[in-house]
């Protein structure tokens, strides 16, 4: 016969009663009191912070910000003095965001040799902070009108009566009207020649801005015609290789022609005396 599993409570379990746990009224009141005190503490802290913030705002005159002092950083010497003089008229006067924009624009226009120009208001100090950096020239340009300009690694063309020359920079003749910025290809060429050192120790470069062509002239009279100002970094490396291999094999001066460089060809021809 099949046995069925039937649970029968024992007599001991039937005799037991469920224990009811009741919370004491005193403990519930205690927890509510703690929560109330905590909440009141937070409210008091927020009110105190709001009052302190209001006093800071009113004492620092953020809503009506005035220049108390002026500080110039990033430049030294005459530039530091001139930027201080340019900012001095604002001392003791209201200075809004539009004034900061105007002052920055004036500095950029008057000093094209400076970069990263910044004009900021100190939030609580009342200090007007002006900062800038002197551009480092990568090459020196002589224009058709005999005026001199420079180009920095950022491709910016600018004038500078007192350039920050840490070392001699390449000399470049520009044919045509100089733009505010040159193509980065030309910067690549100059940086490449500086790295190649003696292999491309040229006398000067000539760039035709109208035709967008570049030529390099060597001290011995040799000439490198890079053609269009494209792939100049690769062309410079290839020119250095050819010059190294031709040393002692061909009489100077000679011409390297990169007209068919895209087809994998560079022509070397001797120049007639």
């Amino acid at each position: 016969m099949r046995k069925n599993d039937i649970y029968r409570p024992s007599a001991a379990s039937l005799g037991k009663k469920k224990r009811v746990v009741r919370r004491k009224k005193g403990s519930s009141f205690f927890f509510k009191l703690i929560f109330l005190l905590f909440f009141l503490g937070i409210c008091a802290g927020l009110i105190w912070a709001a009052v302190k913030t209001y006093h800071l705002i009113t004492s620092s005159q953020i809503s009506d910000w005035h220049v108390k002092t002026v500080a110039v950083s990033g430049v030294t010497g005459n530039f530091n003095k001139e930027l201080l003089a340019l900012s001095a008229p604002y001392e003791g006067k209201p200075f809004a965001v539009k004034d900061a924009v105007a002052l920055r624009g004036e500095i950029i226009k008057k000093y094209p040799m400076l970069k990263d120009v910044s004009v900021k208001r100190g939030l609580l100090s009342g200090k007007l902070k002006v900062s800038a950096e002197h551009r480092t020239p990568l090459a020196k340009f002589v224009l058709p009108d005999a005026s001199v300009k420079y180009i920095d690694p950022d491709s910016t063309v600018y004038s500078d009566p007192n350039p920050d020359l840490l070392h001699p920079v390449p000399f470049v003749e520009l044919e045509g009207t100089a733009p505010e910025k040159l193509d980065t290809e030309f910067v690549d060429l100059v940086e490449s020649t500086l790295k190649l050192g003696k292999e491309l120790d040229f006398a000067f470069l000539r760039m035709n801005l109208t035709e967008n062509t570049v030529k390099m002239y060597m001290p011995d009279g040799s000439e490198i015609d890079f053609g269009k100002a494209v792939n100049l970094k690769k062309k410079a490396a290839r020119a250095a290789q050819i010059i190294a291999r031709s040393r002692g094999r061909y009489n100077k001066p000679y011409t390297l022609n990169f007209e068919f460089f895209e087809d994998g060809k560079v022509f070397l021809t001797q120049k007639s005396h």
Side-chain angles (χ1 to χ4, degrees):
M1 293 181 65
R2 184 177 178 181
K3 294 182 180 181
N4 295 323
D5 294 329
I6 300 175
Y7 171 74
R8 293 186 177 88
S10 62
S13 63
L14 288 174
K16 290 183 179 179
K17 296 182 179 180
K18 292 184 178 180
R19 180 180 296 176
V20 179
V21 179
R22 296 180 179 178
R23 292 183 179 179
K24 295 181 180 180
K25 294 183 179 180
S27 60
S28 177
F29 174 77
F30 176 76
F31 284 117
K32 289 181 180 179
L33 179 63
I34 293 296
F35 177 78
L36 180 61
L37 292 175
F38 179 73
F39 178 76
L40 291 175
I42 292 178
C43 292
L46 291 174
I47 294 172
W48 179 84
V51 172
K52 293 294 289 184
T53 302
Y54 173 77
H55 284 301
L56 285 174
I57 291 175
T58 54
S59 62
S60 61
Q61 297 180 339
I62 292 178
S63 57
D64 187 19
W65 199 86
H66 283 61
V67 179
K68 295 180 181 178
T69 58
V70 178
V72 176
S73 61
V75 290
T76 58
N78 289 333
F79 280 123
N80 191 288
K81 296 177 181 178
E82 291 176 18
L83 293 186
L84 277 173
L86 203 62
S87 308
Y90 293 98
E91 286 192 50
K93 298 180 181 179
F95 193 84
V97 174
K98 64 177 183 179
D99 297 314
V101 174
L103 178 57
R104 181 178 180 273
E106 186 179 358
I107 294 172
I108 292 174
K109 183 178 180 180
K110 190 172 182 179
Y111 302 100
M113 70 291 296
L114 298 182
K115 65 175 183 176
D116 298 334
V117 178
S118 173
V119 178
K120 296 181 179 180
R121 305 183 307 172
L123 183 62
L124 304 176
S125 63
K127 180 183 290 186
L128 180 61
K129 302 175 183 178
V130 180
S131 64
E133 290 184 20
H134 198 168
R135 296 183 186 274
T136 302
L138 186 67
K140 177 181 178 180
F141 290 161
V142 178
L143 304 179
D145 62 357
S147 62
V148 176
K149 289 185 178 292
Y150 297 88
I151 182 173
D152 70 352
D154 197 29
S155 303
T156 301
V157 179
Y158 62 98
S159 57
D160 191 350
N162 299 298
D164 187 14
L165 296 176
L166 299 177
H167 49 75
V169 295
F171 177 74
V172 183
E173 287 185 358
L174 285 183
E175 297 177 346
T177 304
E180 293 183 357
K181 274 185 174 288
L182 283 180
D183 194 285
T184 54
E185 283 280 354
F186 185 79
V187 174
D188 288 341
L189 172 63
V190 176
E191 290 180 335
S192 297
T193 54
L194 293 176
K195 291 178 181 179
L196 290 168
K198 294 182 179 179
E199 296 299 336
L200 284 179
D201 187 17
F202 60 92
F204 67 96
L205 289 165
R206 179 174 291 150
M207 185 171 189
N208 189 312
L209 297 173
T210 304
E211 299 178 359
N212 194 32
T213 57
V214 179
K215 291 184 179 180
M216 178 181 286
Y217 296 87
M218 315 302 286
D220 57 19
S222 297
E223 178 183 325
I224 301 176
D225 186 354
F226 289 110
K228 294 294 182 181
V230 294
N231 294 323
L232 291 178
K233 189 174 183 179
K234 292 181 179 179
K235 290 178 180 178
R238 184 59 177 153
Q241 292 176 349
I242 294 173
I243 290 174
R245 292 177 182 176
S246 62
R247 188 173 290 117
R249 296 184 181 183
Y250 303 99
N251 294 326
K252 297 178 180 180
Y254 49 74
T255 298
L256 284 181
N257 192 318
F258 280 79
E259 182 180 358
F260 300 99
F261 179 74
E262 302 301 328
D263 298 326
K265 299 177 182 178
V266 179
F267 292 95
L268 185 151
T269 57
Q270 286 186 291
K271 296 178 68 174
S272 57
H273 294 281

